[in-house]
Amino acid sequence: VTLHPFHARAYYFLGKIQAEKEHHKQALKALNRAQDLAPQQADVLQERSNVNRMLGNLDDADDDQKRAIQLKS
């Protein structure tokens, strides 16, 4: 991320790693950045939905899930 501050995939994978470590707030921050850089990536939205659900942000989780499904169709 330091070398490529505008690389959405790097933020996505950082978010996934943070989520696996149960660092959900840091994961959400990374996934938000990934989403800002690549708003049409369904996998980013899906992962962010999972993290939002873990944080209890159920409305945000549902919104991300719905958007991810739309992008996949």
Side-chain angles (χ1 to χ4, degrees):
V1 174
T2 302
L3 295 175
H4 298 284
F6 301 106
H7 197 282
R9 297 309 290 172
Y11 284 101
Y12 168 72
F13 286 115
L14 177 61
K16 282 186 69 82
I17 290 167
Q18 293 289 5
E20 287 175 12
K21 292 181 173 185
E22 297 185 9
H23 298 148
H24 297 112
K25 288 182 182 179
Q26 294 90 338
L28 184 59
K29 184 177 177 181
L31 292 165
N32 284 341
R33 182 67 178 139
Q35 177 63 23
D36 288 343
L37 294 170
Q40 301 300 315
Q41 293 293 315
D43 55 345
V44 172
L45 286 164
Q46 183 63 52
E47 187 64 28
R48 192 170 73 171
S49 174
N50 296 338
V51 170
N52 269 317
R53 199 166 305 286
M54 294 301 295
L55 289 169
N57 304 330
L58 302 181
D59 288 339
D60 291 338
D62 289 344
D63 290 344
D64 284 343
Q65 180 69 33
K66 288 175 189 171
R67 181 74 179 126
I69 291 169
Q70 288 174 344
L71 288 171
K72 289 178 183 179
S73 1

